[in-house]
Amino acid sequence: MAKSYIQKAELWREVLKRFWLVVVTTAVIVVLLPQGDVIHYEYEINHPWTHDPLIVKYETPLYKSDEVLKAERDSILANFEPYYNFSAVVREKALERFTEKFARGTSGLSSKYAAYISKKIRLAYDRGIISTEEGRKAITDSTLSIRLVSGNTAVSQYIRNFFTPVTAYEWIFNDPFVHAHRNELVKCNINEFLEPNIIYDEQRSEMERDDLISSIPVASGMILAGQKIIDRGEVVGEKADAAIKAYVKSQEQRTASQLELATTYGGQALYVFIIILLFTLYLLLYRRDYFDYRRSYSMLYILITLMPILVSFIIQHRFFTVYVLPICMVPMFVRVFMDSRTAFLTHVSLVMICALAVQKQFDFIVIELTGGLVAIYTLRELARRSQIFTAAITVSGIQCLTYFALQLIAMQSMQDFDTQMIYHFIASAVLLLLAYPLMFVVEKMFGFVSAVTLFELSDTNKALLRRLSEVAPGTFQHSITVGNLAAEIASKIGAKSLLVRVGALYHDIGKMRHPVFFTENQVGINPHNRISETESAQVVISHVTEGLRMAEKENLPTQILDFIRTHHGAGMVKFFYVQYKNNHPDEEVDEELFTYPGPNPFTTEQAILMMADTVEAASRSLKEYTEESISSLVNRLIDGQVQQGFFHDCPITFRDIQVAKDVLIERLKAIYHTRIAYPELNKKDDSEQGKKSNKKKYGRK
C-alpha cells in the first residue's frame, strides 16, 4: 500500500513538472485557431447538399445577390440628375473683357455693332453654357437632365436646352444681322469670351448619389433564428443558394460580443487542454523515457502544435481544401523515429485538435485517422526510399475509399458523388512524398537517427569502415562478429537490432590510431612488452577518446558516439592493472590510470553491445571450445558486469540479460564447434587390401 502511494505521488509530481508544457502548447494552439465560425461551404446548384443540416443560430437578413443589387443600382441611377450651379461671375467677367477690348468698335465695324454682339453673348450666358463633354452626352441621350441650382432652388433642366461654347458661337453668327458681317467678326475671335457658366457641383452630386444608393435595401427578407435552410441530401435550388450565401455573408460581417468571444476562447482552451493533458499522461505512464531526452518530447509537441496551426491558416485564407494538407506525415515521422503506439496517439491528438477548425468534423476525423493508421502500418521498418512512395499511394487510396464509403451513406445516387475530392487526396499523396527530404531535416534538427541513415552507415564501403578494415583488419572482423551477436540479442528481447549493429561496427574505430597494441591485430610481436603497464593501459584506454574524435570528425550521429563512449563503461583495463599490482606489491595503485572514462551504458542497446563485445573478445583466449567452457565464460563475464553495476543506468531487465547469455552461448558454440576429420586417400600398396575391405563392407564377393 505504501509503495503504491509513493508511486502515485511520484507520478503526480511528474505531471506537475510537465504541466507547463501542456499549458504553453494549449495557449499557442488556441491563440492561432480561428475564432468564431469560419464558414466555407463547397456545393453546386441543382446538386445534393453534402454537408450537415444548415441551421441558423441567430436572425439573419436574406441578402440580395450582387447581380440583383447591381440591377437596382443601375435602375435608380439611370434617373439620377447631377447638380450644376449657374455662375453669374463667369458671364460678367466675359462681358467685361469683351467691352474693354471692343468699346470703340471693331475693325471695319462701329461701336454700335460691338454693343449688339455683347448683347448676344449675354443672352447666350443667360440661357446657359455647359462644357463640350456634357454637350456630347446630350447628343446621345436627348432625355438627359440635370438639377440646375440657382440661389436656394434647384430646377430640373434638359442638357439639350443649354449651349456649348461651339453651339453658342454658331448661334451668334447665325443671327442675320451678325451674319452679314461674318468675315469681319471672324477676326475678333469671339470664342475666347464664351466659357461654360453651368458648373458641375461634385460634392452635392456625390452626396445625392450616395443617398440614393444607400436607400436601396440590401436584404429582401429575414431568416429566423433556429430556421433550417437546407438538410443533408436535399438539392440546392436558387432559393436555398441565396439563403446560404446570405447566412455566410452575415456570419462574416457579424462581430461577436465579448461574452461570445470569452465562451469561444474558453471552450477551445478547455478542449485543447484536455487532449494535450491526456497525451502527456500517456507519455508519463507508458513512455516516460521520452522525457529524458529533450529532442524526443520537443518533436512531439512541436508537431502537435504546428499541424493545427497550418490547418487553421489554410481554412482562414482558403488557399485550398484542408484534405490537400499531408497531415499523415506526422505519424510517419513519429513512427520512424520513435514507436508505433506513440505515433498513433500523436496522430489522434492532432486530428482531434484540427477538427476544431473544420466544418465536417466527423468526415475529417474518420478520413485522417484511417490515413494515419495506414501510414503507420506501411512504415514498420523504413529500410528503402520506395517505402515512402508506397506509403503515400496507400494512404491516398484508403482515404479515397473512406470518403467514398461516407458518401455512399449520405448520397441518394451515384451521380451525386463528388469526384473533385479524389484530386485533393491525390495532391495530398504528392505532398506526402516530401516526407523523405523533410525526414532528413527533422533528423538533424532533433538529433534522431532514422533506419535509412543507419543502413547508410552500415555500408562497409564507407570511407571510415573501409580504412578500419585496411589498418586494423582484426578489429574490423571483431566488430562485424560483435555486431552480429548484438543484433541477434536485440531481436530476441525487442531492442533496436539495426542500431546496435551499426554501433558495433563503429565502437572500436579508435583502435586505428595504434592498431598493433591490440591482440586481434598482432602478428607475433607485442609492443606492450617494451613499455610499462600504465603506458599500455593508457594506449588501450585512448581508443575510446580517439574513436570519439574520429566519429565527430566524420559527423556520425550522437547515438553512435554513445556506443563508443559506453562499450567499456567505467570499467578497468584489468590485465595491466593486475600485472602492475603484481609487479609493484608495495605501491598504492592509482586506479584512475587503469579506468575507462565511461559513462556506463544508459540504453538497452548499449548494454547489449557491452556484453557482446566483452564475451566475443574473451572467447578468443579459451584453450578449448566446449559447451562447458563457453557457458562458464559467458556467465562469469556477464554476471561480473551485473555485480559491478554496469547496467544500473539502463532499462535492461534480468530476463533480457538471461536471453543475452543464451544467445551468446549458442552463437559461440556454433562459431567454435569441433569439425570432423576428413579421411586420407589410401596408398597403392594398400589398394588391394582397401578393395577387399570395401567388398566386404558392401557385401560383394
Side-chain angles (χ1 to χ4, degrees):
M1 180 69 71
K3 185 176 180 182
S4 175
Y5 178 79
I6 293 173
Q7 290 177 345
K8 290 181 179 179
E10 290 179 352
L11 174 61
W12 280 110
R13 278 197 296 270
E14 191 71 18
V15 170
L16 292 175
K17 184 179 177 182
R18 303 300 173 187
F19 185 76
W20 66 270
L21 191 60
V22 177
V23 172
V24 171
T25 305
T26 301
V28 172
I29 293 174
V30 172
V31 168
L32 296 175
L33 277 175
Q35 303 305 321
D37 296 327
V38 179
I39 298 181
H40 178 57
Y41 295 115
E42 294 182 0
Y43 65 92
E44 295 183 27
I45 298 178
N46 299 325
H47 283 74
W49 177 257
T50 59
H51 303 276
D52 295 331
L54 185 57
I55 301 175
V56 298
K57 298 180 180 179
Y58 43 82
E59 193 173 80
T60 303
L62 186 57
Y63 292 102
K64 300 174 183 176
S65 66
D66 293 338
E67 294 77 10
V68 173
L69 286 174
K70 184 177 182 302
E72 291 184 2
R73 281 195 214 99
D74 293 342
S75 176
I76 197 170
L77 291 178
N79 299 320
F80 172 67
E81 296 178 341
Y83 284 84
Y84 284 78
N85 294 318
F86 183 88
S87 176
V89 176
V90 174
R91 179 189 63 186
E92 298 304 325
K93 286 184 177 181
L95 292 174
E96 184 179 347
R97 285 188 283 111
F98 182 84
T99 302
E100 289 178 358
K101 188 172 183 180
F102 302 106
R104 298 180 181 179
T106 62
S107 176
L109 297 174
S110 64
S111 57
K112 182 180 179 181
Y113 192 80
Y116 184 81
I117 298 299
S118 177
K119 180 181 178 182
K120 295 293 289 185
I121 293 175
R122 177 181 291 275
L123 291 174
Y125 274 115
D126 290 342
R127 181 174 172 180
I129 302 175
I130 61 173
S131 65
T132 304
E133 182 181 354
E134 297 295 337
R136 292 196 190 99
K137 293 180 182 178
I139 296 173
T140 57
D141 186 0
S142 61
T143 63
L144 195 63
S145 61
I146 63 172
R147 302 284 289 180
L148 183 61
V149 179
S150 180
N152 295 326
T153 60
V155 181
S156 179
Q157 296 282 346
Y158 289 111
I159 290 182
R160 67 172 183 266
N161 295 336
F162 301 106
F163 287 124
T164 64
V166 175
T167 57
Y169 180 85
E170 294 176 351
W171 177 75
I172 293 172
F173 272 83
N174 287 334
D175 185 277
F177 181 69
V178 176
H179 189 72
H181 304 281
R182 183 182 184 89
N183 294 333
E184 289 81 2
L185 286 174
V186 168
K187 300 176 183 179
C188 298
N189 192 17
I190 296 177
N191 276 326
E192 63 177 291
F193 306 106
L194 298 173
E195 300 176 5
N197 68 327
I198 306 299
I199 309 300
Y200 176 64
D201 190 340
E202 181 178 4
Q203 182 177 1
R204 184 176 295 181
S205 298
E206 292 300 320
M207 187 181 300
E208 182 69 18
R209 182 191 297 270
D210 293 340
D211 289 342
L212 285 173
I213 292 176
S214 62
S215 66
I216 302 174
V218 295
S220 59
M222 296 294 293
I223 307 175
L224 301 179
Q227 181 178 343
K228 182 170 65 177
I229 296 177
I230 192 169
D231 203 351
R232 189 183 182 98
E234 291 182 0
V235 177
V236 182
E238 293 184 0
K239 184 177 179 181
D241 176 54
I244 294 168
K245 290 179 179 178
Y247 179 61
V248 171
K249 185 176 181 180
S250 175
Q251 192 78 340
E252 291 175 348
Q253 294 177 347
R254 184 173 180 269
T255 302
S257 65
Q258 293 295 326
L259 179 61
E260 289 174 329
L261 286 175
T263 55
T264 300
Y265 273 110
Q268 289 182 346
L270 181 60
Y271 176 84
V272 175
F273 178 81
I274 291 172
I275 293 177
I276 300 298
L277 180 63
L278 291 175
F279 177 73
T280 304
L281 285 174
Y282 157 74
L283 294 178
L284 290 172
L285 290 171
Y286 301 104
R287 296 314 305 253
R288 190 176 299 185
D289 55 303
Y290 287 156
F291 282 116
D292 296 335
Y293 305 99
R294 181 174 297 178
R295 65 173 182 267
S296 298
Y297 69 81
S298 296
M299 186 189 77
L300 291 173
Y301 285 91
I302 287 175
L303 290 176
I304 289 179
T305 304
L306 181 62
M307 196 56 68
I309 292 174
L310 289 176
V311 170
S312 301
F313 183 78
I314 289 171
I315 290 177
Q316 284 180 316
H317 295 84
R318 300 179 184 177
F319 293 126
F320 41 78
T321 179
V322 70
Y323 291 104
V324 175
L325 192 66
I327 298 176
C328 294
M329 192 181 293
V330 172
M332 290 171 65
F333 288 160
V334 180
R335 174 62 191 90
V336 168
F337 296 122
M338 294 183 176
D339 63 275
S340 299
R341 186 165 57 174
T342 304
F344 177 70
L345 265 295
T346 303
H347 189 56
V348 170
S349 300
L350 71 89
V351 167
M352 294 294 289
I353 295 172
C354 290
L356 279 176
V358 301
Q359 270 80 46
K360 301 176 70 173
Q361 296 175 340
F362 176 77
D363 291 3
F364 174 80
I365 292 173
V366 172
I367 291 172
E368 293 300 337
L369 284 184
T370 53
L373 284 172
V374 171
I376 295 171
Y377 296 158
T378 53
L379 291 177
R380 294 189 303 276
E381 288 292 339
L382 180 60
R384 301 178 304 278
R385 295 182 181 88
S386 60
Q387 287 180 260
I388 299 292
F389 181 79
T390 303
I393 296 300
T394 310
V395 167
S396 177
I398 198 66
Q399 286 183 331
C400 289
L401 287 175
T402 304
Y403 175 74
F404 179 66
L406 294 174
Q407 289 296 297
L408 284 177
I409 297 172
M411 63 187 183
Q412 298 176 351
S413 66
M414 292 300 297
Q415 296 179 348
D416 300 333
F417 182 70
D418 184 10
T419 58
Q420 189 68 28
M421 287 295 295
I422 304 299
Y423 299 109
H424 297 160
F425 293 129
I426 294 174
S428 177
V430 173
L431 292 177
L432 203 58
L433 296 177
L434 295 175
Y436 188 78
L438 288 177
M439 196 174 295
F440 177 79
V441 175
V442 173
E443 185 174 331
K444 296 303 179 184
M445 182 181 297
F446 297 102
F448 288 104
V449 180
S450 66
V452 175
T453 299
L454 291 176
F455 273 110
E456 293 173 351
L457 291 174
S458 66
D459 183 5
T460 55
N461 286 319
K462 291 186 71 69
L464 191 60
L465 294 179
R466 188 172 64 251
R467 187 154 58 92
L468 177 64
S469 68
E470 296 170 353
V471 175
T475 300
F476 179 72
Q477 292 301 323
H478 160 72
S479 299
I480 291 178
T481 304
V482 170
N484 292 334
L485 293 173
E488 185 171 346
I489 295 172
S491 298
K492 293 283 187 180
I493 67 175
K496 299 175 182 178
S497 59
L498 180 58
L499 176 62
V500 74
R501 183 189 295 275
V502 176
L505 288 175
Y506 289 90
H507 81 286
D508 271 345
I509 57 174
K511 292 182 178 180
M512 285 191 287
R513 179 71 183 272
H514 304 291
V516 296
F517 281 84
F518 299 91
T519 56
E520 66 266 23
N521 301 311
Q522 294 173 359
V523 184
I525 300 175
N526 189 351
H528 289 289
N529 296 331
R530 299 193 296 268
I531 59 177
S532 66
E533 291 87 350
T534 54
E535 290 175 324
S536 294
Q538 289 302 306
V539 171
V540 173
I541 291 172
S542 68
H543 87 275
V544 174
T545 54
E546 287 295 327
L548 289 172
R549 183 184 61 80
M550 293 178 183
E552 290 173 352
K553 185 178 179 181
E554 294 292 328
N555 293 318
L556 294 182
T558 303
Q559 287 86 335
I560 305 302
L561 270 66
D562 290 338
F563 281 106
I564 299 174
R565 289 190 184 95
T566 61
H567 74 279
H568 286 296
M572 297 181 68
V573 187
K574 287 190 175 180
F575 180 88
F576 296 110
Y577 173 73
V578 173
Q579 194 176 61
Y580 184 86
K581 289 195 69 173
N582 291 337
N583 294 335
H584 304 82
D586 300 328
E587 292 184 17
E588 185 177 350
V589 181
D590 184 3
E591 295 185 356
E592 292 294 328
L593 297 175
F594 299 90
T595 304
Y596 285 99
N600 289 328
F602 50 85
T603 67
T604 302
E605 289 77 16
Q606 293 167 10
I608 292 171
L609 177 61
M610 174 181 275
M611 290 186 285
D613 179 46
T614 303
V615 170
E616 200 282 333
S619 67
R620 299 172 183 268
S621 63
L622 288 175
K623 295 180 180 179
E624 59 176 353
Y625 295 100
T626 64
E627 183 175 351
E628 292 76 11
S629 64
I630 292 174
S631 298
S632 175
L633 175 71
V634 171
N635 285 291
R636 176 170 55 83
L637 292 176
I638 295 180
D639 289 343
Q641 291 175 337
V642 173
Q643 292 171 4
Q644 293 176 59
F646 285 154
F647 306 139
H648 284 176
D649 298 330
C650 63
I652 197 168
T653 65
F654 284 112
R655 177 187 176 279
D656 296 337
I657 293 174
Q658 186 57 50
V659 172
K661 288 180 181 180
D662 296 340
V663 170
L664 290 171
I665 291 171
E666 293 301 320
R667 293 296 294 166
L668 290 177
K669 283 166 56 179
I671 293 173
Y672 297 114
H673 69 280
T674 304
R675 296 182 180 273
I676 62 172
Y678 285 87
E680 295 183 359
L681 184 66
N682 292 330
K683 296 180 181 179
K684 285 186 178 181
D685 297 340
D686 300 329
S687 61
E688 293 298 328
Q689 186 69 24
K691 289 179 181 179
K692 291 180 180 180
S693 64
N694 285 337
K695 287 180 180 179
K696 185 176 181 180
K697 179 178 180 181
Y698 292 104
R700 294 179 181 178
K701 296 181 179 179

